[in-house]
Amino acid sequence: MIKILLVYPYFIDKRLNEEDVSAIPMGLYYVGAMLRANGYAVDILNGHNLGRTPQRIYPVLVDKQPDVVGFSILHANRWGGIDIARMAKKANPNVTVVFGGVGATFLWEHFLTHFPEIDYVVRGEGEHSFLELIRFLEKKSAKAPTHIDGLAFRKQDKPYKTRDREPLSDLDSLPMPADHFDFQHISLTRGCPEGCTFCGSPAFWKRRVRFHSAGYFVTQIVRLREKGVRFFFVSDDTFTLKRELVIDICRRIISHRIDIEWAAISRVDCVDDAMLGWMRRAGCTQISFGVESGSRELRDRYRKRISQAAICHAFDLTVRYGIMARAYFIYGGPGESDKSIDESLKLLRRIRPLASIFYILDLFPGTVLYEDYKQRSGATDDIWLDRVEDMLYFETDATLSKAAVLAFGRRLREGYLSLLPEFAGQIELVEDPEMYPLHADFLSRLALTFSHGDYATNPLVEDNLATAVMLFKRSLHYHPNHRAFWGLGLVYQHLQRFDESLAILQQGIQHHSASPELRMALANSLMRLNRCPEARQCLEAIPDHPRAAEQLIRCCRILGDRKGEQIWIGRLKNLQCS
């Protein structure tokens, strides 16, 4: 039986946040599921973080001895794919190397022209094309697979592509990846109807959108939840395109009592009150919106067909339902100036996003901006022979300099982060008693970002602890939220306000008596106040928790109880071994 290894290769540039590139693309899981459902042995290797230690990959290739290695190429990871392909050929000269994904689709001719280690490229949607290629390879035919749609290879030593494959009409006919793999990123749709000039989706999906049914989507969630996955990233370009479908999904999640949380991506003109209410009740905690710029002129250049009124309405509405509204902004694009940055900062002050990401504009194959660059410069795809991940737009525009663009980014980030505490204090939530527990959850979650998360250590975020205290208290105004009691107690400890810490943690234990986190935090405050007997009594209520046992050992030492200390040392060893 032919053995197949699917690889998500590494990126050559180090990321500030590895989470941006750590998740295997959903397409690789769908291809893997299609192969397994048809009886093939398939492994998936997530190599996103192996770029600094590529020597770890070669032994895997030697050990697994795959007959076919397929790569998911986004574009920025193409050199990782080429490197690993060369290793695969070294480990087994007879191995077949297949590139697929968005990056391979747009650069198929480039890859086949310059990189002999690449044997085939799957263009576009890959499940059936890859399966048919595997079946062809099994036959060991001397003919070229010209009958397989959506493929590219060398014919008479020149790059050759077959017909484009027709998009699959019924997404539910695909084998369910959750039956074969564990993952957190899920998708309801394929495609996007919009035509943003910086995005490859219009060319890849032809601005056509196809949907899974609510039943397929929710069943996949259920199967992953049964495997222990509790948080999901819904990675569709625009999850909320079909209002009734989204509401149907949310109703099913609620009626089946599926205990999950999830984040999604949407457009500001594709959300409304009813939908957001259902999404929040079904576990949605964050929605990301592409705003791109506060300048209408720049949004028009990006073909981002959204109005300022729609942007403001969507952010106000999303936060009202206790969902984190996150904004994506692009800077350093055509026409960027101090004036347009001022407009973006003004819009940020108006929409008050509680999270925001600012990207320098990149040029990628398959986008309108990339094609425009090639036309005005005379460049070809051979620019990607340089060992680089991407090309920043300002590098192609004489009216922009690196120093100016970096200054734009600093202004946006510093301006935004300095306003965050103000934004947190201006949150308005819908007055609906049924939503109060969810409001408490939202506020306590946000508070933790100021007390222990990303905003806690950022020097540009002032008054972070005061903001956290305000949010924790407001959370408890809505509902006796466990996270709020715990987080507020810890902040008071950090501020050495131990009496207040004791009071709030004791109040929390009245509502959540079995909570080890609250009891251990309370014991810590008691010990700081030299009240070790009370701390010991508090901890003995949770004797099976290793960290509680560690605190009990400390209590016994302070109290001079050598016998008790030895008892808890023994118990801790048993807990660590079990």
Side-chain angles (χ1 to χ4, degrees), residues 43-254:
D43 287 322
I44 293 182
L45 172 65
N46 188 347
H48 84 274
N49 61 345
L50 297 178
R52 290 177 293 282
T53 55
Q55 67 275 9
R56 293 165 55 191
I57 301 171
Y58 187 76
V60 175
L61 297 168
V62 172
D63 177 62
K64 291 189 177 294
Q65 283 293 308
D67 301 293
V68 178
V69 184
F71 293 86
S72 177
I73 305 298
L74 302 179
H75 181 69
N77 66 345
R78 71 189 187 285
W79 277 107
I82 292 164
D83 292 345
I84 299 172
R86 289 170 176 167
M87 293 184 212
K89 289 288 188 179
K90 180 180 178 182
N92 175 11
N94 296 318
V95 72
T96 300
V97 169
V98 185
F99 270 29
V102 176
T105 296
F106 293 131
L107 288 182
W108 67 270
E109 191 170 9
H110 169 80
F111 285 130
L112 292 171
T113 298
H114 297 288
F115 300 98
E117 47 277 317
I118 301 170
D119 299 302
Y120 296 94
V121 174
V122 171
R123 300 180 298 106
E125 205 163 45
E127 293 88 356
H128 286 284
S129 297
F130 199 94
L131 175 63
E132 290 173 21
L133 176 60
I134 295 298
R135 288 173 171 165
F136 169 81
L137 293 173
E138 272 190 311
K139 295 176 182 177
K140 298 181 179 180
S141 171
K143 297 180 180 179
T146 55
H147 63 287
I148 301 177
D149 294 345
L151 206 61
F153 46 88
R154 294 177 195 85
K155 188 177 180 184
Q156 297 177 344
D157 296 325
K158 292 183 179 180
Y160 171 88
K161 69 171 183 174
T162 64
R163 293 184 307 174
D164 293 347
R165 180 171 290 275
E166 283 296 314
L168 187 65
S169 60
D170 179 13
L171 292 184
D172 283 5
S173 67
L174 292 169
M176 191 169 288
D179 289 341
H180 305 276
F181 307 103
D182 297 351
F183 47 88
Q184 286 183 282
H185 287 251
I186 55 176
S187 59
L188 173 67
T189 68
R190 292 187 180 184
C192 176
E194 299 302 321
C196 299
T197 60
F198 52 82
C199 181
S201 177
F204 190 84
W205 298 115
K206 313 302 182 188
R207 298 180 70 176
R208 174 184 174 185
V209 185
R210 289 160 295 150
F211 298 80
H212 280 296
S213 67
Y216 183 105
F217 186 77
V218 175
T219 298
Q220 179 129 276
I221 290 174
V222 169
R223 291 179 184 173
L224 290 167
R225 184 67 187 90
E226 289 170 349
K227 297 179 180 183
V229 181
R230 192 172 182 276
F231 190 90
F232 293 88
F233 298 92
V234 182
S235 55
D236 303 81
D237 291 329
T238 308
F239 173 66
T240 57
L241 281 172
K242 278 190 177 180
R243 180 180 183 275
E244 295 305 321
L245 177 59
V246 171
I247 292 175
D248 185 11
I249 287 167
C250 293
R251 283 175 168 160
R252 290 172 186 242
I253 291 172
I254 294 166

Side-chain angles (χ1 to χ4, degrees), residues 431-456:
E431 283 301 320
D432 179 353
E434 290 186 4
M435 299 290 291
Y436 286 175
L438 297 174
H439 290 348
D441 174 81
F442 165 66
L443 291 165
S444 66
R445 191 188 305 273
L446 179 61
L448 271 186
T449 67
F450 285 92
S451 65
H452 293 79
D454 292 342
Y455 304 146

Side-chain angles (χ1 to χ4, degrees), residues 488-508:
L488 187 53
L490 293 184
V491 172
Y492 283 151
Q493 282 181 6
H494 180 78
L495 297 172
Q496 299 191 27
R497 292 159 59 176
F498 295 111
D499 289 336
E500 290 171 278
S501 176
L502 284 180
I504 199 68
L505 290 167
Q506 286 170 338
Q507 184 181 345

Side-chain angles (χ1 to χ4, degrees), residues 24-45:
I24 293 173
M26 273 303 302
L28 210 60
Y29 287 121
Y30 273 95
V31 169
M34 174 65 80
L35 294 169
R36 285 193 177 180
N38 282 274
Y40 292 100
V42 179
D43 287 322
I44 293 182
L45 172 65

Side-chain angles (χ1 to χ4, degrees), residues 219-473:
T219 298
Q220 179 129 276
I221 290 174
V222 169
R223 291 179 184 173
L224 290 167
R225 184 67 187 90
E226 289 170 349
K227 297 179 180 183
V229 181
R230 192 172 182 276
F231 190 90
F232 293 88
F233 298 92
V234 182
S235 55
D236 303 81
D237 291 329
T238 308
F239 173 66
T240 57
L241 281 172
K242 278 190 177 180
R243 180 180 183 275
E244 295 305 321
L245 177 59
V246 171
I247 292 175
D248 185 11
I249 287 167
C250 293
R251 283 175 168 160
R252 290 172 186 242
I253 291 172
I254 294 166
S255 66
H256 289 92
R257 298 185 178 182
I258 308 171
D259 180 24
I260 59 169
E261 294 172 351
W262 48 282
I265 304 169
S266 184
R267 281 176 56 91
V268 296
D269 52 3
C270 291
V271 293
D272 61 31
D273 274 275
M275 182 192 297
L276 290 169
W278 282 108
M279 288 174 70
R280 182 67 187 103
R281 286 188 285 270
C284 181
T285 59
Q286 176 179 283
I287 301 176
S288 298
F289 297 100
V291 176
E292 319 316 351
S293 177
S295 164
R296 179 58 186 263
E297 180 184 350
L298 263 62
R299 291 200 304 272
D300 287 346
R301 290 191 183 192
Y302 295 143
R303 296 183 193 168
K304 190 74 181 184
R305 300 182 303 119
I306 53 175
S307 68
Q308 182 142 325
I311 296 168
C312 296
H313 181 66
F315 276 81
D316 290 348
L317 206 58
T318 302
V319 173
R320 275 177 57 81
Y321 282 92
I323 299 173
M324 174 86 78
R326 183 167 74 163
Y328 289 134
F329 276 78
I330 293 172
Y331 65 96
E336 195 77 83
S337 65
D338 285 316
K339 179 177 178 291
S340 62
I341 296 298
D342 287 340
E343 291 176 291
S344 289
L345 287 168
K346 183 179 179 181
L347 182 59
L348 280 163
R349 291 188 188 95
R350 168 59 188 86
I351 63 176
R352 304 183 295 276
L354 298 169
S356 193
I357 298 180
F358 304 96
Y359 293 105
I360 298 180
L361 180 61
D362 273 342
L363 293 183
F364 290 116
T367 66
V368 170
L369 285 173
Y370 175 72
E371 294 303 320
D372 287 346
Y373 159 70
K374 288 202 297 184
Q375 287 184 11
R376 59 186 163 85
S377 69
T380 70
D381 289 337
D382 284 355
I383 59 174
W384 303 115
L385 289 172
D386 290 340
R387 194 175 172 88
V388 296
E389 281 195 2
D390 52 19
M391 177 188 300
L392 301 176
Y393 175 82
F394 73 78
E395 296 171 336
T396 75
D397 189 334
T399 67
L400 294 168
S401 68
K402 180 178 181 179
V405 171
L406 293 179
F408 292 154
R410 283 194 299 271
R411 283 190 61 202
L412 287 169
R413 291 185 180 88
E414 291 173 5
Y416 168 70
L417 291 170
S418 69
L419 292 167
L420 258 176
E422 180 182 327
F423 295 166
Q426 295 173 340
I427 292 170
E428 296 180 5
L429 297 168
V430 64
E431 283 301 320
D432 179 353
E434 290 186 4
M435 299 290 291
Y436 286 175
L438 297 174
H439 290 348
D441 174 81
F442 165 66
L443 291 165
S444 66
R445 191 188 305 273
L446 179 61
L448 271 186
T449 67
F450 285 92
S451 65
H452 293 79
D454 292 342
Y455 304 146
T457 57
N458 194 314
L460 296 174
V461 181
E462 298 180 354
D463 302 321
N464 56 301
L465 289 182
T467 303
V469 169
M470 177 273 295
L471 290 167
F472 282 132
K473 285 184 174 180

Side-chain angles (χ1 to χ4, degrees), residues 559-573:
L559 293 169
D561 182 358
R562 301 302 179 194
K563 182 178 179 181
E565 178 184 348
Q566 292 304 312
I567 290 172
W568 284 107
I569 287 174
R571 186 169 185 89
L572 178 60
K573 289 179 180 178

